[in-house]
Amino acid sequence: MRLTHKVMEPYQGDYKPAVSTLALELVLQGVRERLALPFGGDPQRLADALEALLGPAGVVVELRTEHSTRDRPQPNSGWTSGGSASAGSGGG
């Protein structure tokens, strides 16, 4: 059993908070299942609780945490919009 905790950190100057997601991956009889979990707590506490519960049955619980930084928005290219243009319109 693997819990993957992904944290998307803001870039410098970003006003949006970090976003955290948690996914549970199970391998049962050679079949891999991955589930996104609605979880807002401490992933380490969840991993510890699952290990305490499932460890005696021989289930290995692994917690992996991945950190990344949100991409900074790219400034618009040289294209500017303003007004409208339609093919074939002669302006009257």
Side-chain angles (χ1 to χ4, degrees):
M1 172 181 295
R2 177 184 295 161
L3 290 168
T4 302
H5 179 223
K6 292 184 179 183
V7 180
M8 180 69 70
E9 302 283 351
Y11 55 87
Q12 179 133 5
D14 189 4
Y15 63 91
K16 297 178 188 171
V19 176
S20 177
T21 60
L22 188 63
L24 173 66
E25 189 175 342
L26 300 170
V27 179
L28 302 170
Q29 299 176 354
V31 177
R32 188 175 299 258
E33 292 288 332
R34 186 173 172 89
L35 306 165
L37 299 176
F39 183 74
D42 179 1
Q44 185 62 57
R45 287 186 60 200
L46 177 60
D48 292 344
L50 286 170
E51 190 167 349
L53 181 68
L54 301 172
V59 176
V60 177
V61 177
E62 175 188 347
L63 173 62
R64 182 173 64 189
T65 301
E66 301 173 0
H67 288 270
S68 59
T69 302
R70 189 171 20 252
D71 290 335
R72 181 181 297 271
Q74 297 298 317
N76 291 338
S77 63
W79 178 264
T80 58
S81 65
S84 63
S86 300
S89 66

